[in-house]
Coordinates of all heavy atoms in Angstrom, one line a residue:
D278 N 0.8 -1.2 0.1 CA 0.0 -0.1 -0.1 C 0.9 1.3 0.1 O 2.1 1.2 -0.2 CB -1.0 0.0 1.1 CG -0.3 -0.1 2.5 OD1 0.8 0.4 2.7 OD2 -0.9 -0.5 3.5
E279 N 0.3 2.4 0.3 CA 1.1 3.7 0.1 C 1.9 4.1 1.4 O 2.4 5.1 1.5 CB 0.1 4.8 -0.2 CG -0.9 5.2 0.8 CD -2.1 4.3 0.8 OE1 -2.3 3.4 0.1 OE2 -2.9 4.5 1.8
N280 N 1.8 3.2 2.4 CA 2.5 3.4 3.7 C 3.8 2.7 3.8 O 3.9 1.5 3.4 CB 1.6 3.0 4.8 CG 0.3 3.7 4.9 OD1 0.3 4.9 5.0 ND2 -0.8 2.9 4.9
K281 N 4.8 3.5 4.2 CA 6.2 2.9 4.4 C 6.0 1.9 5.6 O 5.2 2.1 6.6 CB 7.3 3.7 4.4 CG 7.3 4.7 5.6 CD 8.4 5.6 5.6 CE 8.5 6.5 6.8 NZ 9.6 7.4 6.8
R282 N 6.8 0.8 5.7 CA 6.7 -0.2 6.8 C 8.1 -0.9 6.8 O 8.9 -0.9 5.9 CB 5.6 -0.9 6.7 CG 5.5 -1.8 5.3 CD 4.1 -2.1 5.0 NE 4.0 -2.7 3.7 CZ 4.1 -2.1 2.5 NH1 4.1 -0.8 2.5 NH2 3.8 -2.6 1.4
E283 N 8.1 -1.6 7.9 CA 9.2 -2.6 8.1 C 8.7 -4.1 8.3 O 7.7 -4.2 9.0 CB 10.1 -2.3 9.2 CG 11.3 -3.0 9.4 CD 12.2 -2.6 10.6 OE1 12.8 -1.5 10.4 OE2 12.3 -3.3 11.6
V284 N 9.2 -5.0 7.6 CA 8.8 -6.4 7.8 C 10.0 -7.2 8.1 O 11.1 -6.8 7.8 CB 8.1 -6.9 6.5 CG1 6.9 -6.2 6.1 CG2 9.0 -6.9 5.2
Q285 N 9.7 -8.3 8.7 CA 10.7 -9.3 9.1 C 10.6 -10.5 8.3 O 9.5 -11.0 8.1 CB 10.7 -9.6 10.6 CG 11.1 -8.4 11.5 CD 11.2 -8.7 12.9 OE1 10.8 -9.8 13.3 NE2 11.7 -7.8 13.7
V286 N 11.7 -11.1 8.0 CA 11.8 -12.4 7.3 C 12.5 -13.5 8.0 O 13.7 -13.1 8.3 CB 12.4 -12.3 5.8 CG1 12.4 -13.5 5.1 CG2 11.6 -11.1 5.0
N287 N 11.9 -14.4 8.4 CA 12.6 -15.5 9.3 C 13.1 -16.6 8.3 O 12.3 -17.1 7.5 CB 11.5 -16.0 10.4 CG 12.1 -16.8 11.3 OD1 13.1 -17.5 11.1 ND2 11.6 -16.8 12.5
F288 N 14.3 -16.9 8.5 CA 14.9 -17.9 7.6 C 14.9 -19.3 8.3 O 15.8 -20.3 8.0 CB 16.3 -17.5 7.2 CG 16.3 -16.5 6.2 CD1 16.4 -15.1 6.6 CD2 16.1 -16.7 4.9 CE1 16.5 -14.1 5.7 CE2 16.1 -15.7 3.9 CZ 16.3 -14.4 4.3
N289 N 14.1 -19.5 9.2 CA 14.1 -20.9 10.0 C 13.7 -22.0 9.1 O 13.8 -23.1 9.6 CB 13.2 -20.8 11.3 CG 11.7 -20.5 11.0 OD1 11.3 -20.3 9.8 ND2 11.0 -20.4 12.1
F290 N 13.3 -21.9 7.9 CA 12.9 -22.9 6.9 C 14.2 -23.5 6.4 O 14.1 -24.5 5.7 CB 11.9 -22.4 5.9 CG 12.5 -21.3 5.0 CD1 13.1 -21.6 3.8 CD2 12.2 -19.9 5.4 CE1 13.7 -20.6 3.1 CE2 12.7 -19.0 4.6 CZ 13.4 -19.2 3.5
L291 N 15.3 -22.8 6.5 CA 16.5 -23.2 5.9 C 17.1 -24.4 6.7 O 16.9 -24.5 7.8 CB 17.6 -22.0 5.8 CG 17.2 -20.9 4.9 CD1 18.2 -19.8 4.9 CD2 17.0 -21.3 3.4
E292 N 18.0 -25.1 6.1 CA 18.6 -26.3 6.7 C 19.7 -25.6 7.7 O 20.5 -24.9 7.5 CB 19.5 -27.1 5.7 CG 20.0 -28.5 6.2 CD 20.6 -29.3 5.2 OE1 20.3 -29.3 4.0 OE2 21.6 -30.0 5.6
P293 N 19.6 -26.2 9.0 CA 20.5 -25.7 10.1 C 21.8 -26.0 9.7 O 22.2 -26.9 9.0 CB 20.0 -26.5 11.4 CG 18.6 -27.0 11.0 CD 18.6 -27.2 9.5
K294 N 22.8 -25.1 10.3 CA 24.2 -25.4 10.2 C 24.7 -25.3 8.7 O 25.8 -25.6 8.4 CB 24.8 -26.7 10.8 CG 24.3 -26.7 12.2 CD 24.9 -28.0 12.9 CE 24.4 -28.0 14.4 NZ 24.8 -29.3 15.1
K295 N 24.0 -24.6 7.9 CA 24.4 -24.3 6.5 C 24.4 -22.8 6.3 O 23.6 -22.1 6.9 CB 23.6 -25.0 5.5 CG 23.8 -26.5 5.3 CD 23.1 -27.1 4.1 CE 24.0 -27.6 3.1 NZ 23.4 -28.1 1.9
T296 N 25.3 -22.3 5.4 CA 25.4 -20.9 5.1 C 24.8 -20.7 3.7 O 24.9 -21.5 2.9 CB 26.7 -20.4 5.1 OG1 27.3 -20.6 6.5 CG2 26.8 -18.9 4.9
Y297 N 23.9 -19.7 3.6 CA 23.3 -19.3 2.3 C 23.6 -17.9 1.9 O 23.9 -17.0 2.8 CB 21.8 -19.4 2.4 CG 21.3 -20.8 2.7 CD1 21.3 -21.5 4.1 CD2 20.9 -21.7 1.7 CE1 21.0 -22.7 4.3 CE2 20.5 -23.0 2.0 CZ 20.5 -23.5 3.2 OH 20.2 -24.7 3.6
V298 N 23.4 -17.5 0.7 CA 23.5 -16.2 0.1 C 22.1 -15.7 -0.2 O 21.5 -16.3 -0.9 CB 24.6 -16.0 -1.0 CG1 24.5 -14.6 -1.6 CG2 25.9 -16.4 -0.7
V299 N 21.8 -14.6 0.4 CA 20.5 -14.0 0.0 C 20.7 -12.7 -0.7 O 21.6 -11.9 -0.4 CB 19.6 -13.7 1.3 CG1 20.2 -12.5 2.2 CG2 18.2 -13.3 0.9
T300 N 20.1 -12.6 -1.9 CA 20.2 -11.3 -2.6 C 18.8 -10.7 -2.4 O 17.7 -11.2 -2.7 CB 20.3 -11.7 -4.2 OG1 21.6 -12.4 -4.3 CG2 20.5 -10.4 -4.9
I301 N 18.9 -9.4 -2.0 CA 17.7 -8.5 -1.7 C 17.7 -7.6 -2.8 O 18.5 -6.7 -3.1 CB 17.8 -7.9 -0.3 CG1 18.2 -8.9 0.7 CG2 16.6 -7.0 -0.1 CD1 18.6 -8.3 2.1
Y302 N 16.5 -7.5 -3.5 CA 16.1 -6.6 -4.5 C 15.1 -5.6 -3.8 O 13.9 -6.1 -3.7 CB 15.6 -7.3 -5.8 CG 16.4 -8.3 -6.3 CD1 16.4 -9.6 -6.0 CD2 17.4 -7.9 -7.3 CE1 17.2 -10.5 -6.4 CE2 18.3 -8.9 -7.9 CZ 18.1 -10.1 -7.4 OH 19.0 -11.1 -8.0
G303 N 15.6 -4.5 -3.2 CA 14.5 -3.7 -2.5 C 14.5 -2.2 -2.7 O 15.3 -1.8 -3.7
D304 N 13.8 -1.6 -2.0 CA 13.7 -0.2 -2.1 C 15.0 0.6 -1.6 O 15.5 0.2 -0.7 CB 12.5 0.3 -1.3 CG 11.2 -0.2 -1.7 OD1 11.0 -0.3 -2.9 OD2 10.3 -0.5 -0.8
A305 N 15.4 1.6 -2.3 CA 16.4 2.5 -2.0 C 15.9 3.4 -0.8 O 14.7 3.5 -0.7 CB 16.9 3.4 -3.0
P306 N 16.8 3.9 0.0 CA 16.3 4.8 1.1 C 15.4 6.0 0.7 O 14.5 6.4 1.3 CB 17.6 5.3 1.7 CG 18.5 4.4 1.4 CD 18.2 3.7 0.1
D307 N 15.5 6.4 -0.5 CA 14.7 7.6 -1.0 C 13.6 7.2 -1.9 O 13.0 8.1 -2.6 CB 15.7 8.6 -1.7 CG 16.4 8.1 -2.9 OD1 16.5 6.9 -3.0 OD2 16.9 8.9 -3.8
A308 N 13.3 5.9 -2.0 CA 12.2 5.4 -2.8 C 10.9 5.9 -2.5 O 10.7 5.9 -1.2 CB 12.3 3.9 -3.0
H309 N 10.0 6.2 -3.3 CA 8.6 6.5 -3.0 C 7.8 6.3 -4.2 O 8.2 6.7 -5.4 CB 8.5 8.0 -2.5 CG 7.2 8.5 -2.0 ND1 6.1 8.8 -2.9 CD2 6.7 8.6 -0.8 CE1 5.1 9.1 -2.2 NE2 5.4 8.9 -0.9
W310 N 6.6 5.8 -4.1 CA 5.7 5.4 -5.2 C 5.6 6.6 -6.1 O 5.3 6.4 -7.4 CB 4.4 4.7 -4.7 CG 3.5 5.7 -4.1 CD1 3.5 6.0 -2.9 CD2 2.4 6.4 -4.8 NE1 2.4 6.9 -2.6 CE2 1.8 7.2 -3.8 CE3 2.0 6.6 -6.0 CZ2 0.8 8.0 -4.0 CZ3 0.9 7.4 -6.4 CH2 0.3 8.1 -5.3
E311 N 5.3 7.8 -5.6 CA 5.0 8.9 -6.4 C 6.1 9.8 -6.9 O 6.2 10.2 -8.1 CB 4.0 9.8 -5.7 CG 3.3 10.9 -6.4 CD 2.3 11.7 -5.7 OE1 2.4 11.7 -4.5 OE2 1.4 12.1 -6.4
T312 N 7.1 10.0 -6.0 CA 8.1 11.0 -6.3 C 9.4 10.3 -6.8 O 10.3 11.0 -7.4 CB 8.6 11.9 -5.1 OG1 8.9 10.9 -4.0 CG2 7.3 12.6 -4.6
N313 N 9.7 9.0 -6.4 CA 10.9 8.3 -6.8 C 10.7 6.8 -7.0 O 11.3 6.0 -6.3 CB 12.1 8.6 -5.8 CG 13.4 8.4 -6.4 OD1 13.6 8.2 -7.5 ND2 14.5 8.4 -5.6
P314 N 9.9 6.3 -7.9 CA 9.5 5.0 -8.0 C 10.5 4.0 -8.5 O 10.4 2.9 -8.3 CB 8.2 5.1 -9.0 CG 8.5 6.2 -9.8 CD 9.2 7.2 -8.9
M315 N 11.5 4.7 -9.1 CA 12.6 3.6 -9.8 C 13.8 3.6 -8.9 O 14.7 3.0 -9.3 CB 13.0 4.2 -11.1 CG 11.8 4.3 -12.1 SD 11.1 2.7 -12.5 CE 12.2 1.8 -13.3
A316 N 13.7 4.0 -7.6 CA 14.9 3.9 -6.8 C 14.9 2.5 -6.1 O 14.0 2.2 -5.4 CB 14.8 5.0 -5.7
Y317 N 16.0 1.8 -6.3 CA 16.1 0.4 -5.7 C 17.5 0.2 -5.4 O 18.4 0.9 -5.8 CB 15.5 -0.6 -6.7 CG 16.3 -0.7 -7.9 CD1 17.5 -1.6 -8.1 CD2 16.0 0.0 -9.1 CE1 18.1 -1.8 -9.2 CE2 16.7 -0.1 -10.2 CZ 17.7 -1.0 -10.3 OH 18.5 -1.1 -11.4
S318 N 17.8 -0.8 -4.6 CA 19.0 -1.3 -4.3 C 19.1 -2.9 -4.3 O 18.0 -3.6 -4.2 CB 19.4 -0.9 -2.9 OG 18.7 -1.5 -1.9
I319 N 20.3 -3.4 -4.7 CA 20.5 -4.8 -4.7 C 21.7 -5.1 -3.7 O 22.7 -4.5 -3.9 CB 20.9 -5.3 -6.0 CG1 19.6 -4.9 -7.1 CG2 21.2 -6.8 -6.1 CD1 20.1 -5.2 -8.5
Q320 N 21.4 -6.0 -2.7 CA 22.4 -6.2 -1.8 C 22.5 -7.7 -1.4 O 21.5 -8.5 -1.7 CB 22.0 -5.7 -0.3 CG 22.0 -4.2 -0.5 CD 21.4 -3.5 0.8 OE1 20.2 -4.0 1.3 NE2 22.0 -2.5 1.4
N321 N 23.8 -8.2 -1.2 CA 24.0 -9.6 -0.9 C 24.5 -9.8 0.5 O 25.4 -9.0 0.9 CB 25.1 -10.2 -1.9 CG 24.5 -10.2 -3.3 OD1 23.5 -10.9 -3.5 ND2 25.3 -9.7 -4.2
Y322 N 24.0 -10.8 1.2 CA 24.5 -11.1 2.6 C 24.5 -12.7 2.7 O 23.8 -13.4 2.0 CB 23.5 -10.6 3.6 CG 23.4 -9.1 3.6 CD1 22.3 -8.5 3.1 CD2 24.4 -8.3 4.2 CE1 22.2 -7.1 3.1 CE2 24.2 -6.9 4.2 CZ 23.2 -6.3 3.7 OH 23.0 -4.9 3.7
T323 N 25.3 -13.1 3.7 CA 25.1 -14.5 4.1 C 24.1 -14.6 5.2 O 24.0 -13.7 6.1 CB 26.5 -15.1 4.4 OG1 27.0 -14.5 5.4 CG2 27.5 -15.3 3.2
V324 N 23.4 -15.7 5.2 CA 22.4 -16.0 6.2 C 22.4 -17.4 6.6 O 22.9 -18.2 6.0 CB 21.0 -15.6 5.8 CG1 20.9 -14.0 5.4 CG2 20.5 -16.4 4.6
T325 N 21.8 -17.7 7.8 CA 21.6 -19.0 8.2 C 20.2 -19.2 8.6 O 19.4 -18.3 8.6 CB 22.6 -19.4 9.5 OG1 22.1 -18.6 10.5 CG2 24.0 -19.1 9.2
S326 N 19.9 -20.4 9.2 CA 18.4 -20.7 9.6 C 18.1 -19.8 10.8 O 16.9 -19.8 11.3 CB 18.3 -22.2 9.9 OG 19.1 -22.5 10.9
K327 N 19.0 -19.2 11.5 CA 18.8 -18.4 12.6 C 18.6 -16.9 12.3 O 18.3 -16.1 13.2 CB 20.0 -18.5 13.6 CG 20.0 -20.0 14.1 CD 21.1 -20.2 15.2 CE 21.1 -21.5 15.9 NZ 22.1 -21.8 16.9
T328 N 18.9 -16.5 11.1 CA 18.8 -15.2 10.7 C 17.4 -14.7 10.6 O 16.5 -15.4 10.1 CB 19.5 -14.9 9.3 OG1 20.8 -15.3 9.3 CG2 19.5 -13.5 8.8
I329 N 17.1 -13.5 11.2 CA 15.9 -12.7 10.9 C 16.2 -11.4 10.3 O 16.9 -10.5 10.8 CB 15.2 -12.5 12.3 CG1 14.8 -13.8 12.9 CG2 13.9 -11.6 11.9 CD1 14.1 -13.7 14.3
L330 N 15.8 -11.3 9.0 CA 16.1 -10.2 8.1 C 15.0 -9.0 8.4 O 13.8 -9.3 8.4 CB 16.0 -10.6 6.6 CG 16.5 -9.6 5.7 CD1 17.9 -9.3 5.7 CD2 16.1 -10.2 4.2
K331 N 15.4 -7.8 8.5 CA 14.5 -6.7 8.6 C 14.7 -5.9 7.4 O 15.7 -5.5 7.0 CB 14.9 -5.8 9.8 CG 14.7 -6.4 11.2 CD 15.0 -5.6 12.3 CE 14.8 -6.3 13.6 NZ 15.2 -5.4 14.8
L332 N 13.4 -5.8 6.6 CA 13.4 -5.1 5.4 C 12.6 -3.8 5.7 O 11.5 -3.8 6.2 CB 12.6 -5.9 4.4 CG 13.5 -7.1 3.8 CD1 12.5 -7.9 2.9 CD2 14.7 -6.7 3.2
K333 N 13.1 -2.7 5.2 CA 12.4 -1.5 5.2 C 11.8 -1.3 3.8 O 12.5 -1.2 2.8 CB 13.3 -0.3 5.5 CG 13.8 -0.3 6.9 CD 14.6 0.9 7.3 CE 15.1 0.8 8.8 NZ 15.8 1.9 9.1
L334 N 10.4 -1.2 3.8 CA 9.7 -1.0 2.5 C 9.2 0.4 2.3 O 8.6 1.0 3.3 CB 8.5 -1.9 2.4 CG 8.8 -3.5 2.6 CD1 7.5 -4.3 2.5 CD2 9.8 -3.9 1.6
A335 N 9.5 1.0 1.3 CA 9.1 2.5 0.9 C 7.6 2.5 0.8 O 6.9 1.4 0.5 CB 9.8 2.9 -0.4
A336 N 7.0 3.7 0.8 CA 5.7 3.9 0.5 C 5.4 3.4 -0.9 O 6.0 3.8 -1.8 CB 5.3 5.3 0.6
G337 N 4.5 2.4 -1.0 CA 4.2 1.8 -2.3 C 5.2 0.9 -2.8 O 5.2 0.6 -4.0
G338 N 6.2 0.5 -2.0 CA 7.3 -0.2 -2.4 C 7.1 -1.7 -2.1 O 6.1 -2.3 -1.8
G339 N 8.3 -2.5 -2.1 CA 8.3 -3.9 -2.0 C 9.7 -4.4 -2.1 O 10.6 -3.6 -2.1
A340 N 9.9 -5.8 -2.0 CA 11.1 -6.4 -2.1 C 11.0 -7.8 -2.7 O 9.9 -8.4 -2.6 CB 11.8 -6.4 -0.8
A341 N 12.1 -8.3 -3.2 CA 12.1 -9.7 -3.7 C 13.5 -10.2 -3.3 O 14.5 -9.5 -3.2 CB 12.0 -9.8 -5.3
L342 N 13.4 -11.4 -2.8 CA 14.8 -12.2 -2.3 C 15.0 -13.4 -3.2 O 14.0 -14.2 -3.5 CB 14.5 -12.6 -0.9 CG 14.0 -11.5 0.1 CD1 13.8 -12.1 1.5 CD2 15.0 -10.4 0.2
T343 N 16.2 -13.7 -3.3 CA 16.7 -15.1 -3.7 C 17.5 -15.5 -2.8 O 18.3 -14.8 -2.1 CB 17.3 -14.9 -5.1 OG1 18.5 -14.2 -5.0 CG2 16.5 -14.5 -6.2
V344 N 17.5 -16.9 -2.5 CA 18.3 -17.6 -1.5 C 18.8 -18.8 -2.2 O 18.2 -19.6 -2.7 CB 17.4 -18.0 -0.3 CG1 18.2 -18.6 0.8 CG2 16.6 -16.8 0.4
Q345 N 20.2 -18.8 -2.0 CA 21.0 -20.1 -2.6 C 22.1 -20.5 -1.6 O 22.6 -19.7 -0.9 CB 21.6 -19.5 -4.0 CG 20.6 -19.1 -4.9 CD 21.4 -18.7 -6.2 OE1 22.5 -18.4 -6.2 NE2 20.7 -18.6 -7.3
P346 N 22.4 -21.7 -1.6 CA 23.4 -22.2 -0.8 C 24.7 -21.4 -1.1 O 25.0 -21.2 -2.3 CB 23.7 -23.7 -1.1 CG 22.3 -24.1 -1.6 CD 21.7 -22.8 -2.3
A347 N 25.5 -21.0 -0.1 CA 26.8 -20.4 -0.3 C 27.9 -21.3 -0.8 O 28.0 -22.4 -0.2 CB 27.1 -19.6 0.9
T348 N 28.6 -20.9 -1.7 CA 29.9 -21.7 -2.0 C 30.9 -21.2 -1.0 O 30.8 -20.3 -0.3 CB 30.4 -21.1 -3.4 OG1 30.7 -19.9 -3.4 CG2 29.2 -21.4 -4.6
P349 N 31.9 -22.0 -0.9 CA 33.0 -21.7 0.1 C 33.6 -20.3 -0.1 O 33.9 -19.6 0.7 CB 34.0 -22.8 -0.1 CG 33.3 -24.0 -0.7 CD 32.2 -23.4 -1.5
D350 N 33.7 -20.0 -1.4 CA 34.3 -18.7 -1.7 C 33.3 -17.6 -1.2 O 33.7 -16.5 -0.7 CB 34.6 -18.5 -3.2 CG 35.4 -17.3 -3.5 OD1 36.4 -17.0 -2.9 OD2 35.0 -16.6 -4.6
Q351 N 32.1 -17.7 -1.5 CA 31.0 -16.7 -1.0 C 31.0 -16.7 0.5 O 30.8 -15.5 0.9 CB 29.6 -17.1 -1.6 CG 29.4 -16.9 -3.0 CD 28.2 -17.4 -3.6 OE1 27.7 -18.5 -3.2 NE2 27.5 -16.7 -4.4
S352 N 31.1 -17.8 1.1 CA 31.1 -17.7 2.6 C 32.2 -16.9 3.2 O 32.1 -16.3 4.3 CB 31.2 -19.2 3.2 OG 30.2 -19.9 2.8
K353 N 33.4 -16.7 2.4 CA 34.4 -15.9 2.9 C 34.3 -14.6 2.5 O 34.7 -13.6 3.3 CB 35.8 -16.6 2.4 CG 36.1 -17.8 2.9 CD 37.4 -18.4 2.2 CE 37.7 -19.7 2.6 NZ 38.9 -20.3 1.7
K354 N 33.7 -14.3 1.3 CA 33.7 -12.9 0.6 C 32.4 -12.0 1.0 O 32.6 -10.8 1.0 CB 34.0 -13.0 -0.8 CG 35.4 -13.4 -1.1 CD 35.6 -13.4 -2.6 CE 37.0 -13.8 -2.9 NZ 37.3 -13.8 -4.3
V355 N 31.3 -12.7 1.1 CA 30.1 -12.0 1.2 C 29.8 -11.7 2.7 O 30.0 -12.7 3.6 CB 28.8 -12.8 0.6 CG1 27.5 -12.0 1.0 CG2 29.1 -13.0 -0.8
K356 N 29.6 -10.6 3.1 CA 29.5 -10.2 4.5 C 28.1 -10.8 5.0 O 27.1 -10.9 4.5 CB 29.6 -8.7 4.8 CG 28.4 -7.9 4.3 CD 28.6 -6.4 4.4 CE 27.5 -5.6 3.6 NZ 27.6 -4.2 3.9
P357 N 28.1 -11.3 6.3 CA 27.0 -11.7 7.0 C 25.9 -10.7 7.3 O 26.3 -9.5 7.5 CB 27.5 -12.4 8.3 CG 28.9 -12.1 8.4 CD 29.3 -11.3 7.1
Y358 N 24.7 -11.0 7.3 CA 23.7 -10.0 7.5 C 23.7 -9.8 9.1 O 23.7 -10.6 9.8 CB 22.3 -10.5 7.2 CG 21.2 -9.6 7.6 CD1 21.0 -8.4 6.9 CD2 20.5 -9.8 8.8 CE1 20.0 -7.5 7.3 CE2 19.4 -8.9 9.1 CZ 19.2 -7.7 8.4 OH 18.2 -6.9 8.8
R359 N 23.6 -8.4 9.4 CA 23.5 -8.0 10.9 C 22.4 -7.0 10.9 O 22.3 -6.0 10.2 CB 24.8 -7.3 11.3 CG 26.0 -8.3 11.1 CD 26.3 -9.0 12.4 NE 27.5 -9.8 12.3 CZ 27.7 -11.0 12.1 NH1 26.6 -11.8 12.1 NH2 28.8 -11.6 12.1
N360 N 21.4 -7.2 11.9 CA 20.4 -6.3 11.9 C 20.6 -5.2 13.0 O 21.5 -5.0 13.6 CB 19.1 -6.9 12.1 CG 19.1 -7.8 13.3 OD1 20.1 -8.2 13.9 ND2 17.9 -8.4 13.5

């Protein structure tokens, strides 16, 4: 809807003791459905089954996520999500 908000995504459905890479396609800090509808950001983090992700959604905005098992190289190079 037209109200900005924060939502939480719980990754407890993931296999325990494994690391994953989440790619977040989300709203940029200055995104707004009327004044700046094309502002977005793409971020990568490592997550586990214990991670709870906090997403800030712009007014009229949204987000999409992809989750894939992390390769050993990604586990070293991609920073872990911290809320």
